Amino acid sequence: MTAALAVVLLALAGYVLQGTINTTRATEMQSDALTVDMKFTEARIAVAMQEVNLRHYQVEPSVAVRERFDRVAAEAERNLAEIAGSSGGHAREDAKRLLAGQIAYRELAEDLIARVADSDPDFMSFDRLQVTPAFYSLQNDVDEVSRAYHEYAQQQVTALGRQQGRLLVGTAMGFGVGLTLVAGIMRMVLGYQRRLVAQAADSRHQALHDALTGLPNRALFQRDLHKALARDGQIALMIIDLDGFKAVNDTIGHHAGDQVLIEAGRRLAGHVHSPAVVARLGGDEFAVLLPQVSGLSEATMLADRLVAELNRDFVLDDRPAAISGSLGLVLSPANAPGDADELFRHADSAMYRAKRHGGGVAVYDPGTDADQPDDRLELFTDLRILLETGDPEGRLQLHYQPQVRLRDGLVTGVEALVRWYHPTRGLVMPTTLLPVAERGGLAVALTYHLLAVAARQAAGWLAGGWQGRVSFNVSTGALDDERFAENVLATIAAAGLPPHMLRLELTETGIMAESETAVDTLRRISRSGVTVSVDDFGTGFSSLVQLRDVPADELKIDRIFLGNLTPGTPDEVMVRSSIDLGHNLGLEVVAEGVEDVATLVHLRDMGCDYAQGYALARPVPSSELVGACWVAEATIAQTLGYATSSPAR
């Protein structure tokens, strides 16, 4: 019995040891195969993106497109080089072959880019005869290699499963001997196996599900979307974004924000039944997939119910939070296979349109939504993330343009003008930034963020001895925020800026279109000491009654009237009339966009109070403002014959 027990123990130990070694080896082979599969897949995607950016460059030959081409080309070559340097056997040889093909294609593509940049009339022939065949040859090769190694990786996964199964069966047979000691050993082995299986299952679940809500994540959702598109029938895709979520995070805290996300996921999942899928894509964005839908009516009925659920108040720590949803809906083509990425873009476009209109449901309309370029959508996403995170790197900056008092030639204030230093697009000017913010519903959040920046910098000037006022542009619609006055006063108080050193600028069209409540808000602001300017005066169609009722302190004459101030011209009449009107109403008058010194002289002679424009100084960062003020004062002194002053700064 002892000998038999010893034989059983030795045999069982040997079997378990061998099985563990085989399992470890299979696991290593699986890991290596998955790594090679991933790198070939990344190389395949990068090769395809080269072609996309090359075609984009032919349509829009810009530095940004060329940089994207170089970036994805380098990524493809890096992945192939890593495989060639770290793998063995066929993988190394395949990677070397593909790397050589990639380098050859890139050289042809760079030659084509140079021809396009040089406006070579033969670039299309060169593209058709050399570049395009080289790309398709490379693409076919990398596709075949990537598929082959993907299949090999799956085989390794299957082999690992079989190896684990064999180990489990063999161990169970050893357990059947019935010996107490063997039974104890088997319990340990089986326990170890169960932990492996549980860990593997948990890892798979974590990789494909959102940790906070438990919903499928973007990766699993995209996999389900591809499966749905591969089947016959029409599908519906919905992208949902929560409106008001950032306010909850900022005012109540991130714990409350997590509660909102969990509850929003629960409400959405409660109204969507299998085989439909609800997923959290990230942040406060969710998605719904209907893999079987009869038509638009069925999809919109569900979309309306989902938005209605999100519009119900969320109760957080015994206090309600007003959250709503913006939902974009798109249906796949009825009689053609749909493209997953295209459906996502269309649903995103519809969702942004819903957000611009205050929430609710928007169905993708090619005539309306297709006009919005992809780069605007990307800019909107980047801007939203920047505002949600508080812009820790300070990419949203303010430049300041001096305003000179014409009666004595002194700089008494500056206008704040936003600049966005984007990490990949470079400098984004207000003509691009502000429409993106307005259309995406971010204008008010952007206004508050930049106001805090302006208040801190102006308070710093005051501490340094300069008491110049800062004029700050307020977005149209910000006055409809019921907490606008409180937020403005709290912001300047936190920065230590006296109210009289802040002037809020609103366009004539915007300020005249505001509601009576908004005008009351302006009055509260004005009573606190903050002054108000009517910007771009003369370009709108306001009545004198409206202008009388607005608590304004300043009129800014728009630059379009400064082009020809020759006596008797319509521009000269408009400017003179605006100056007289402003003075009769007790307002100061500023002419913006002054481009030449002759205009300065004429404005002074007509009684204009202030001027700003390139003739005096361009907008500059805060660090360069002192020099810009000296330049402006020196220019006005030379032009109008004033003595150069030495203001304290």
Side-chain angles (χ1 to χ4, degrees):
M1 182 65 70
T2 303
L5 179 58
V7 170
V8 170
L9 291 175
L10 289 173
L12 183 59
Y15 183 84
V16 172
L17 179 60
Q18 185 62 40
T20 302
I21 293 173
N22 292 339
T23 300
T24 302
R25 184 181 299 112
T27 302
E28 292 174 352
M29 293 177 66
Q30 175 197 357
S31 177
D32 292 340
L34 289 175
T35 299
V36 172
D37 174 31
M38 178 188 68
K39 289 188 178 297
F40 272 125
T41 300
E42 291 177 352
R44 178 176 62 82
I45 294 172
V47 167
M49 289 305 299
Q50 283 182 114
E51 181 68 1
V52 172
N53 284 288
L54 180 61
R55 299 309 165 198
H56 191 176
Y57 187 88
Q58 294 181 47
V59 177
E60 182 186 349
S62 66
V63 174
V65 176
R66 173 60 190 271
E67 289 177 349
R68 289 198 296 271
F69 172 84
D70 290 339
R71 186 165 57 252
V72 297
E75 181 180 355
E77 293 169 11
R78 184 182 64 253
N79 282 298
L80 294 173
E82 288 177 359
I83 299 172
S86 61
S87 303
H90 294 296
R92 176 187 291 127
E93 298 303 318
D94 288 339
K96 288 181 177 179
R97 186 182 71 257
L98 291 175
L99 181 58
Q102 159 62 23
I103 293 173
Y105 167 72
R106 182 177 183 178
E107 291 175 351
L108 289 172
E110 289 176 343
D111 191 0
L112 177 59
I113 289 174
R115 291 170 181 250
V116 173
D118 295 336
S119 301
D120 186 347
D122 295 330
F123 82 90
M124 294 186 65
S125 175
F126 177 77
D127 181 14
R128 184 175 64 257
L129 297 177
Q130 296 193 46
V131 179
T132 298
F135 167 73
Y136 283 119
S137 176
L138 174 62
Q139 184 185 48
N140 292 336
D141 197 2
V142 75
D143 284 347
E144 290 177 3
V145 171
S146 178
R147 282 195 297 270
Y149 282 98
H150 181 73
E151 293 173 0
Y152 175 73
Q154 295 304 313
Q155 292 171 2
Q156 294 303 312
V157 172
T158 303
L160 176 60
R162 288 198 300 267
Q163 180 63 36
Q164 291 177 334
R166 285 195 296 269
L167 179 60
L168 182 62
V169 171
T171 307
M173 292 176 61
F175 180 81
V177 176
L179 298 174
T180 303
L181 185 56
V182 175
I185 296 174
M186 287 307 304
R187 281 195 296 271
M188 293 174 58
V189 173
L190 288 174
Y192 175 69
Q193 290 296 327
R194 282 193 293 269
R195 286 195 299 273
L196 285 178
V197 173
Q199 289 173 0
D202 184 61
S203 297
R204 286 194 296 270
H205 186 274
Q206 290 181 6
L208 297 174
H209 289 78
D210 174 54
L212 179 64
T213 63
L215 295 173
N217 61 14
R218 181 183 290 271
L220 180 56
F221 186 80
Q222 287 183 324
R223 189 173 72 181
D224 291 339
L225 177 59
H226 282 286
K227 289 181 179 178
L229 289 172
R231 295 191 294 265
D232 293 334
Q234 194 170 36
I235 71 169
L237 174 63
M238 305 177 192
I239 302 296
I240 306 166
D241 190 80
L242 301 183
D243 301 323
F245 176 75
K246 183 177 183 298
V248 171
N249 262 347
D250 292 344
T251 58
I252 307 179
H254 291 287
H255 173 69
D258 289 345
Q259 288 181 297
V260 168
L261 294 174
I262 294 171
E263 175 62 15
R266 187 192 65 78
R267 293 185 186 184
L268 294 173
H271 284 73
V272 176
H273 306 293
S274 183
V277 180
V278 179
R280 181 189 175 201
L281 301 181
D284 59 346
E285 193 172 51
F286 295 82
V288 176
L289 169 65
L290 302 181
Q292 299 173 1
V293 64
S294 60
L296 181 61
S297 177
E298 177 188 351
T300 52
M301 288 178 60
L302 175 60
D304 289 335
R305 288 200 302 271
L306 296 179
V307 170
E309 277 296 301
L310 294 176
N311 289 347
R312 290 193 295 110
D313 281 352
F314 288 66
V315 179
L316 308 172
D317 298 329
D318 298 327
R319 59 185 296 184
I323 301 292
S324 58
S326 297
L327 186 150
L329 168 65
V330 64
L331 268 63
S332 65
N335 300 313
D339 178 79
D341 292 338
E342 184 179 63
L343 287 178
F344 259 109
R345 290 195 300 270
H346 291 174
D348 271 342
S349 297
M351 183 271 288
Y352 295 141
R353 176 158 53 87
K355 184 178 289 290
R356 292 195 301 272
H357 289 83
V361 177
V363 179
Y364 175 73
D365 177 14
T368 301
D369 299 315
D371 291 335
Q372 186 174 22
D374 290 343
D375 60 342
R376 290 297 177 96
L377 299 180
E378 294 173 3
L379 279 177
F380 169 79
T381 301
D382 293 342
L383 179 60
R384 182 176 64 177
I385 293 173
L386 202 63
L387 293 175
E388 288 177 351
T389 58
D391 190 16
E393 298 180 354
R395 295 194 176 279
L396 287 171
Q397 298 182 16
L398 289 175
H399 287 200
Y400 298 91
Q401 187 172 40
Q403 296 175 333
V404 180
R405 189 165 56 199
L406 293 178
R407 63 180 172 85
D408 56 14
L410 294 180
V411 174
T412 61
V414 295
E415 180 181 1
L417 302 166
V418 64
R419 302 289 188 269
W420 182 9
Y421 291 89
H422 194 279
T424 59
R425 299 172 184 270
L427 179 62
V428 178
M429 297 297 288
T431 52
T432 299
L433 168 61
L434 298 182
V436 169
E438 290 284 353
R439 284 196 292 267
L442 298 176
V444 176
L446 180 63
T447 295
Y448 287 145
H449 176 85
L450 295 176
L451 178 61
V453 175
R456 289 193 299 268
Q457 292 180 338
W461 305 332
L462 180 62
W466 186 52
Q467 300 184 11
R469 180 179 57 234
V470 59
S471 295
F472 182 81
N473 292 278
V474 177
S475 67
T476 301
L479 295 181
D480 282 333
D481 181 1
E482 60 183 14
R483 294 186 55 82
F484 178 75
E486 290 78 1
N487 286 338
V488 170
L489 298 179
T491 297
I492 61 177
L497 183 69
H500 71 274
M501 291 187 64
L502 175 66
R503 173 161 287 176
L504 300 181
E505 293 192 7
L506 296 101
T507 63
E508 178 191 8
T509 302
I511 201 172
M512 298 309 168
E514 295 292 354
S515 64
E516 184 176 347
T517 302
V519 174
D520 291 338
T521 298
L522 274 181
R523 289 176 180 145
R524 292 202 307 273
I525 291 276
S526 182
R527 286 195 294 269
S528 73
V530 176
T531 56
V532 177
S533 174
V534 180
D535 197 7
D536 299 337
F537 184 73
T539 61
F541 298 94
S542 57
S543 69
L544 293 179
V545 173
Q546 289 173 308
L547 187 60
R548 179 199 63 190
D549 292 339
V550 172
D553 303 275
E554 176 186 272
L555 290 183
K556 293 193 74 173
I557 301 174
D558 190 80
R559 67 183 66 241
I560 66 172
F561 298 109
L562 303 182
N564 184 11
L565 292 186
T566 304
T569 62
D571 284 351
E572 196 265 352
V573 172
M574 287 292 299
V575 172
R576 188 181 298 278
S577 300
S578 298
I579 294 172
D580 292 341
L581 174 62
H583 288 165
N584 290 336
L585 291 173
L587 308 179
E588 295 177 328
V589 180
V590 179
E592 62 178 347
V594 179
E595 302 288 346
D596 55 79
V597 294
T599 302
L600 282 174
V601 175
H602 207 155
L603 288 170
R604 192 272 312 269
D605 293 343
M606 287 191 290
C608 186
D609 301 303
Y610 298 90
Q612 70 178 89
Y614 286 176
L616 297 166
R618 292 177 176 271
V620 295
S622 178
S623 60
E624 302 175 16
L625 182 58
V626 172
C629 291
W630 280 111
V631 170
E633 291 186 352
T635 300
I636 203 76
Q638 181 179 5
T639 302
L640 302 182
Y642 298 130
T644 304
S645 61
S646 299
R649 293 189 176 89

